[in-house]
Amino acid sequence: MAKILVVDDERFIRNSLKEALEYEDYEVDTVESGSRGLEMIEKSKYDLVICDIKMEGMDGIEFLDRVMADESQQSFPTIMISGHGNIDIAVDCIKKGAFDFIEKPFDLNRILMTVRNALDRKESVKEAKIGIKQKNLSGKNQDIVGESEPIMNVKRMIAKVAPSEARVLITGSNGTGKELVARQLHKLSHRNTGPFIEVNCAAIPADLIESEMFGHEKGAFTSAVKQRKGKFEQADGGTLFLDEIGDMSLSAQAKVLRALQEGKISRVGGDKDIPVNVRVLAATNKNLAKEIEKGNFREDLFHRLSVVIIHVPSLAERKEDIPILIRYFLEDACKREGSPVRKIEDKAMEMLKELPWRGNIRELLNVVERLVVFTHDDSRNDESIVITAKDVQEYVIDADQYS
């Protein structure tokens, strides 16, 4: 049974929330001020806190700051509520670490849904930390790194959408991290114990895409020597990620649409309907509205896939994240090389920030790995190696990729 603390100076709100939450079998404590809330947190272990913003004495923002400043108290999500809120306050709360912000007067059903989502996410994070879940899916890093407003918007969208069953269309240029967003959506969803199956629609020949997606029966075509399950069946109970969906053939699009509408597929060469329980996420670097106008993409499929649209910003749209990303990739690359983490001088960092980064995060990662390799020197102690402006000039700028 989850234990919840309600912090609000209005008795009616405290009692209403306590009654609704206890009806859902949660254990609930209530207090009338932020200072009392902090005292309760020190005495007892809570799974979630609901806190009003406008209170006498210590207000909710100060309470949230105090909670987030203490790493031992960050194990529980915090939901902020207020009758005097606006979008700036809501964004500020999320930036400071709140799980969500809800305006008064609120719908109790929305409160209960948010509580469930927050607790589900808390459990997912807990499992990941103790190793019950894989740290990485398919061995790929799962962190979305950055603190700029564009990437924080993406993180907030993921947190809100992941616990739902909504289909998500992820847009953005090549190399921005669309696949990473899809993996985060799966990781924080109720389906996270199920499979995450990825299909790169651009990499599969048009004459094989239907077999790859829906499977085939033995003898369906010349090379079909045995029955084979497609990606939809492999993803049953989990998430199917259709990368570069804009490159899928119209005939395959029609079958995907049917699968989404009816929740069932049929293998190539078969006439049997097979039910599938799959959440579909899709990504594209194309403008699908223009592809629809050209007749290359089905409008009805677009509307099925784009219940929620998450746009992943290019690196040019989030340049303030470049130093954070470089240090993050440096640490990761040095660990894999088995050497101490390199430092990077300020001038070198400024030079890297000003590069165009047309390949986005993917290109940045490659450049960092290159700098780690070329600055290795067996004659020196690795701890003394600093990546300099000269290194950036020689191994990056003069490497012709920006010509």
Side-chain angles (χ1 to χ4, degrees):
M1 180 189 297
K3 190 172 183 180
I4 297 173
L5 175 65
V6 175
V7 184
D8 198 301
D9 59 356
E10 294 184 64
R11 184 190 297 257
F12 173 75
I13 297 294
R14 295 199 303 273
N15 292 342
S16 296
L17 286 172
K18 182 178 176 67
E19 182 179 348
L21 291 166
E22 287 182 339
Y23 184 79
E24 296 292 319
D25 291 330
Y26 297 118
E27 183 181 346
V28 183
D29 289 334
T30 66
V31 292
E32 71 288 350
S33 68
S35 57
R36 282 283 295 128
L38 292 177
E39 290 174 10
M40 293 293 288
I41 289 170
E42 289 180 1
K43 294 176 183 177
S44 186
K45 183 177 177 62
Y46 291 98
D47 297 290
L48 182 141
V49 173
I50 300 173
C51 182
D52 187 25
I53 288 181
K54 193 171 179 60
M55 297 183 291
E56 293 292 330
M58 181 188 296
D59 65 12
I61 298 295
E62 184 182 351
F63 172 85
L64 181 62
D65 284 336
R66 294 275 292 274
V67 167
M68 299 311 296
D70 186 342
E71 292 186 5
S72 67
Q73 296 177 0
Q74 293 177 25
S75 59
F76 57 78
T78 303
I79 298 170
M80 306 302 292
I81 57 176
S82 178
H84 307 274
N86 56 43
I87 189 63
D88 291 332
I89 292 176
V91 169
D92 188 45
C93 288
I94 301 297
K95 277 186 176 180
K96 289 176 182 291
F99 177 81
D100 204 350
F101 173 88
I102 300 176
E103 286 189 79
K104 296 178 183 177
F106 46 73
D107 180 351
L108 282 175
N109 286 328
R110 186 189 170 192
I111 284 279
L112 293 174
M113 180 180 295
T114 304
V115 166
R116 284 194 293 270
N117 291 344
L119 290 172
D120 286 341
R121 183 183 175 197
K122 174 181 180 289
E123 191 61 27
S124 296
V125 172
K126 177 183 174 184
E127 289 178 354
K129 284 183 178 179
I130 62 176
I132 294 176
K133 289 175 58 185
Q134 293 177 314
K135 181 180 179 184
N136 298 313
L137 296 164
S138 303
K140 298 184 179 181
N141 196 290
Q142 293 304 295
D143 292 324
I144 296 179
V145 178
E147 298 174 359
S148 65
E149 189 57 28
I151 207 65
M152 291 303 296
N153 284 336
V154 171
K155 291 180 181 182
R156 286 192 285 269
M157 287 282 284
I158 292 171
K160 284 183 176 292
V161 175
S164 73
E165 286 292 300
R167 300 184 194 106
V168 181
L169 178 64
I170 307 163
T171 64
S173 303
N174 285 332
T176 52
K178 297 187 293 296
E179 179 190 353
L180 192 57
V181 170
R183 290 179 178 276
Q184 280 287 320
L185 285 166
H186 173 75
K187 181 180 179 181
L188 298 177
S189 75
H190 303 300
R191 295 174 174 268
N192 54 23
T193 55
F196 177 89
I197 302 296
E198 179 183 355
V199 182
N200 188 331
C201 301
I204 303 171
D207 56 342
L208 294 179
I209 186 73
E210 291 185 39
S211 172
E212 188 73 16
M213 294 285 291
F214 309 108
H216 58 252
E217 299 291 351
K218 181 179 179 181
F221 43 86
T222 304
S223 59
V225 295
K226 63 179 181 179
Q227 184 190 81
R228 182 177 182 275
K229 288 184 177 181
K231 300 299 187 183
F232 264 91
E233 285 184 83
Q234 294 173 35
D236 192 45
T239 302
L240 178 64
F241 175 46
L242 303 178
D243 198 10
E244 303 304 344
I245 187 75
D247 293 285
M248 182 180 285
S249 69
L250 287 169
S251 60
Q253 289 177 37
K255 283 198 169 186
V256 169
L257 179 64
R258 176 177 180 263
L260 297 181
Q261 289 174 328
E262 302 177 13
K264 54 190 176 184
I265 57 102
S266 58
R267 300 188 187 116
V268 176
D271 54 10
K272 178 184 175 183
D273 285 336
I274 302 168
V276 287
N277 173 20
V278 172
R279 183 188 189 183
V280 173
L281 309 175
T284 183
N285 63 353
K286 292 186 174 182
N287 185 326
L288 290 188
K290 290 184 178 179
E291 294 301 307
I292 291 169
E293 289 178 5
K294 295 176 184 176
N296 296 332
F297 202 82
R298 295 180 63 113
E299 186 172 6
D300 46 5
L301 178 58
F302 171 76
H303 291 303
R304 287 278 176 179
L305 292 172
S306 59
V307 176
V308 176
I309 297 177
I310 297 178
H311 176 72
V312 186
S314 68
L315 205 48
E317 296 174 275
R318 45 180 296 215
K319 279 200 167 187
E320 57 266 50
D321 284 333
I322 289 176
I324 300 171
L325 287 160
I326 288 173
R327 292 187 181 98
Y328 180 86
F329 291 148
L330 269 175
E331 182 177 353
D332 186 61
C334 289
K335 282 181 180 177
R336 282 187 281 107
E337 291 290 324
S339 63
V341 178
R342 306 281 198 278
K343 293 182 175 62
I344 181 167
E345 68 177 22
D346 292 342
K347 186 176 179 182
M349 183 70 81
E350 288 303 313
M351 291 171 68
L352 289 170
K353 278 183 68 176
E354 294 309 311
L355 295 176
W357 299 115
R358 289 186 285 270
N360 293 297
I361 306 296
R362 190 178 299 146
E363 182 185 6
L364 180 62
L365 173 59
N366 290 342
V367 163
V368 169
E369 290 183 343
R370 186 189 316 154
L371 286 168
V372 170
V373 169
F374 281 103
T375 56
H376 178 75
D377 188 345
D378 288 330
S379 65
R380 290 193 293 165
N381 184 336
D382 275 340
E383 292 183 3
S384 67
I385 298 177
V386 176
I387 295 174
T388 65
K390 181 182 177 182
D391 294 324
V392 172
Q393 184 69 45
E394 181 176 357
Y395 303 125
V396 181
I397 296 175
D398 292 343
D400 291 334
Q401 72 260 40
Y402 296 108
S403 59

